Amino acid sequence: QTIDDNTLNRIKAIDKPVKLKICISLSCKFCPDVVAACQRIAILNPHVEASMIDIALFPQLKKEFNIMSVPAVIKNDNTLLFGSKTMDEILDFIEA
């Protein structure tokens, strides 16, 4: 994924710890792009941590967050973002 200067500046401006859990299904065609975007953000900013989780292996997490569809991104164990998202949409979620 190419990153324009504006998006790169937004990534570098994240100055608080952010832990992202990207809940996926191995059969989901949208999940790889969301995982790649979150991990790319984490690579470019040391304040961001991104972990991919196969939701089929963690039913307690699915139940705790009431996850009915994937991809689902959990931010700091309290906020959810569902569906296929662009990097800028993920940054909006992180910044909110």
Side-chain angles (χ1 to χ4, degrees), residues 58-71:
F58 294 90
Q60 72 280 7
L61 186 68
K62 182 178 179 180
K63 183 178 179 182
E64 178 183 348
F65 289 97
N66 196 28
I67 296 171
M68 298 299 194
S69 64
V70 292

Side-chain angles (χ1 to χ4, degrees), residues 31-78:
C31 289
D33 289 338
V34 174
V35 170
C38 290
Q39 290 182 338
R40 183 82 183 270
I41 292 167
I43 287 169
L44 295 171
N45 187 309
H47 294 291
V48 180
E49 178 183 317
S51 303
M52 180 188 73
I53 299 170
D54 181 350
I55 201 68
L57 301 176
F58 294 90
Q60 72 280 7
L61 186 68
K62 182 178 179 180
K63 183 178 179 182
E64 178 183 348
F65 289 97
N66 196 28
I67 296 171
M68 298 299 194
S69 64
V70 292
V73 181
I74 303 168
K75 179 178 79 172
N76 296 331
D77 287 326
N78 62 22

Side-chain angles (χ1 to χ4, degrees), residues 2-21:
T2 58
I3 300 176
D4 63 44
D5 289 339
N6 182 50
T7 302
L8 184 58
N9 290 334
R10 288 178 68 193
I11 293 169
K12 290 183 177 184
I14 299 168
D15 61 356
K16 294 180 253 187
V18 177
K19 290 187 178 187
L20 302 174
K21 293 178 182 171

